Structure formats: C-alpha cells, structure tokens
Amino acid sequence: MITVNPIEIEGMQFTAVSVELPKTTLLTVSNEVGYIMCAALDVDIFNEIPKLQERKVVAGRAVGVRTIEQLLDAPLEKVTDASREYGWKEGITGREALLLIS
C-alpha cells in the first residue's frame, strides 16, 4: 500500500510518503527543495557520479526507522553534497534538516 499525507513541521508544509513492500517500508518526507528518506536511499550515488552531481539533489538518509515519525526524529546518517549548502550534516535530525530547506 502507498500512503501520501501532508504534514506540518513548525508551520511548514511537507509531503510524507510511505510505501509498504514485502519485509520493508520505504519512507520519505519532502518539499520542493529536497527530501529525507529511510536507509533505502543510496546517497553515495548522488555524490560520486558526475551526471548526478550536476543535479544538486538535496537528500539525507536515516537508518533503522520504520515510521514517518521515527524518520523525522532520527539523526541523518548520510547527506548529499548539495544538501550541505543548506546546512545539512550527518547527525542532525530529519526534522532539523527539513526546516533548513523550508
């Protein structure tokens, strides 16, 4: 099942998407600038492949989360190089990262 819900963080609007798959759930929260996602996101690919670097994808990954709320509260384990331009770094929570791009 796929669930899409608007969520509000400190008055700012984002979109939360949950995709239930066998033995796992993909989770993402985004706005028009960037997104945070569960460990299924391969951050390194955006940092290492020149054509993808050019896109300047703003994204971060949290590990070990099973719900949108956990994704918001978890520290980001990896972030793209482009996200650093917004102040993202490893260790900030998903919620903090999203507020930096709102």
Side-chain angles (χ1 to χ4, degrees):
M1 176 170 27
I2 299 171
T3 306
V4 179
N5 290 310
I7 62 170
E8 186 176 308
I9 302 170
E10 295 186 22
M12 306 308 291
Q13 294 296 314
F14 298 91
T15 302
V17 179
S18 176
V19 181
E20 293 180 26
L21 298 170
K23 300 183 183 180
T24 193
T25 303
L26 300 179
L27 303 166
T28 183
V29 180
S30 64
N31 70 1
E32 64 281 349
V33 177
Y35 60 95
I36 58 171
M37 190 171 175
C38 63
L41 174 64
D42 185 358
V43 170
D44 293 330
I45 200 165
F46 292 114
N47 293 336
E48 295 171 358
I49 297 177
K51 286 191 177 223
L52 295 178
Q53 287 175 331
E54 293 171 9
R55 294 184 192 176
K56 296 191 178 279
V57 173
V58 175
R61 173 176 80 189
V63 176
V65 297
R66 293 182 175 222
T67 67
I68 293 295
E69 197 61 35
Q70 288 176 352
L71 177 59
L72 293 172
D73 293 334
L76 296 182
E77 183 257 345
K78 278 199 174 186
V79 299
T80 61
D81 292 342
S83 69
R84 294 180 190 285
E85 296 175 23
Y86 291 89
W88 289 22
K89 59 186 177 185
E90 289 80 0
I92 67 170
T93 67
R95 187 180 314 272
E96 292 169 325
L98 291 171
L99 288 173
L100 288 170
I101 61 170
S102 60

